Amino acid sequence: MNKFSQFCDELSQHTDLKPLIHISPASGYRARSEFGYSKGAYTMIEDGKKVFMETSDIPHISIQAVMPKLLNLINDSETITKKLFQVNFRTSGERVLVSLIYHRPLEDDWKIAALKIQNALKNVSIIGRSKKAKVLIGDEDLEITYDINGKSFTILQNDLVFFQPNIYLYPLMMSFIASRLENPKDLLELYCGCGGFTLTLASRFAKIFATENNRHSIRLLKASIELNYMSNIEIARLSDDETASALAKERPFRRLEKIDLDSYEFSHILVDPPRSGLSEETVSLSKQFKNMIYISCNPETFFRDIKMLNREIKSIAVFDQFANTKHLEVIAFLK
């Protein structure tokens, strides 16, 4: 049984609805990719074994074009290869952000060698990272512009924050959400990250209150809000449990001093939790909301949470974020 049949079989225990299924291209779909580095090659683990490679057909073509050239330049420099163990890539479709990660401090000789590599490549920025330290050679933030449902927006991200990895399916995810919204007023968003859903939904809701516990994501989202001249989004660095506590007025938070939660008329709650799914506090909080949008990267915890939420599934779609793997992304509208 393939992963789609398995998901539909499990879903049938909760609803008669059939999910929309969005397939990904089998190659060139990843806007961010992480590789080990060993013995002068990129490495990945496949079927429990380490595989050595010069390039891969999984990342976006802009990353594929950089990989072999970068590898040759890395291997030509003892300074660059010394205790290098990981190479990460992100792309805007044109510009590529490369993170070189080390088991050692990075000194001035590394900066000189890394600058030579960056200058030899087109539209590439390099960041060096070691324990509790970073060295910027190019720009740290990656600026990406999307046009979704006739609305254009720009989002900032870097190598320290989560963003939807599939460059083809992300716009389809946003279109699905926008097309299923009914009578939107204000939105409460948990686990907002750097704003992958927040920014696109700003034009659909009167106001958005978004929370996230990652400092880097909050910084980038604040910058993106300013970059897009948006005025109807308020954000706070709060965990899911802290958000529940704040809305229940169990205790005050200094991070909410300038935010009037009583001014919101929430019609929807959107949650995009980690693979572990929703906390008990978030499940309890969600019961205050008539409409819930649940985005899940783990069908197993999704179905577990569906039982706890005790809601009707009004619409559901599956997105094959990681082609040729067991993983699926799910978006469900719950009443």
Side-chain angles (χ1 to χ4, degrees), residues 125-287:
S125 288
I126 292 178
I127 301 174
R129 294 197 183 275
S130 59
K131 188 176 181 180
K132 296 182 180 180
K134 71 177 178 184
V135 179
L136 297 180
I137 303 302
D139 293 331
E140 180 181 18
D141 298 338
L142 197 61
E143 184 177 303
I144 309 175
T145 299
Y146 289 96
D147 191 348
I148 299 175
N149 293 333
K151 298 288 185 179
S152 180
F153 73 99
T154 299
I155 185 168
L156 297 171
Q157 57 175 285
N158 64 25
D159 61 328
L160 295 179
V161 302
F162 173 81
F163 192 76
Q164 296 296 327
N166 194 305
I167 203 164
Y168 300 106
L169 292 188
Y170 169 65
L172 296 180
M173 295 171 71
M174 293 310 313
S175 294
F176 174 76
I177 293 174
S179 67
R180 297 305 191 278
L181 285 175
E182 295 181 359
N183 303 316
K185 295 179 181 178
D186 297 336
L187 172 68
L188 172 66
E189 181 184 3
L190 276 64
Y191 321 96
C192 68
C194 60
F197 296 105
T198 322
L199 297 167
T200 52
L201 291 173
S203 63
R204 307 305 296 262
F205 286 89
K207 292 190 297 182
I208 296 178
F209 176 55
T211 65
E212 166 63 50
N213 201 31
N214 182 292
R215 293 177 182 271
H216 303 287
S217 295
I218 289 291
R219 177 187 71 80
L220 289 166
L221 180 49
K222 285 181 177 179
S224 293
I225 290 170
E226 293 182 6
L227 191 63
N228 291 279
Y229 303 102
M230 294 177 174
S231 59
N232 65 332
I233 302 172
E234 291 185 298
I235 58 178
R237 189 174 61 81
L238 297 172
S239 69
D240 51 356
D241 294 351
E242 287 174 329
T243 303
S245 180
L247 287 168
K249 298 183 179 180
E250 292 175 350
R251 65 186 180 97
F253 289 86
R254 290 184 60 188
R255 286 161 278 174
L256 292 173
E257 284 180 350
K258 298 181 180 180
I259 297 176
D260 180 11
L261 293 179
D262 291 333
S263 69
Y264 283 86
E265 189 177 356
F266 293 117
S267 60
H268 292 71
I269 180 173
L270 185 153
V271 295
D272 184 12
R275 293 190 62 80
S276 57
L278 300 176
S279 66
E280 290 183 10
E281 288 82 1
T282 304
V283 171
S284 179
L285 169 66
S286 70
K287 293 178 180 179

Side-chain angles (χ1 to χ4, degrees), residues 2 8 14 23 43 46 54 81-82 87 115-116 123 180 185 194 218 222-223 240 276 290 306 309 312 315 330:
N2 66 34
C8 291
H14 303 274
I23 303 297
T43 66
E46 293 183 358
E54 292 184 358
T81 58
K82 183 181 178 182
V87 183
L115 182 59
K116 288 181 180 178
N123 293 326
R180 297 305 191 278
K185 295 179 181 178
C194 60
I218 289 291
K222 285 181 177 179
D240 51 356
S276 57
K290 182 178 181 181
I306 285 294
L309 289 167
E312 179 188 2
S315 185
V330 183

Side-chain angles (χ1 to χ4, degrees), residues 283-302:
V283 171
S284 179
L285 169 66
S286 70
K287 293 178 180 179
Q288 301 176 32
F289 298 82
K290 182 178 181 181
N291 303 293
M292 184 175 189
I293 307 166
Y294 190 156
I295 302 166
S296 171
C297 60
N298 185 352
E300 184 177 334
T301 53
F302 170 77

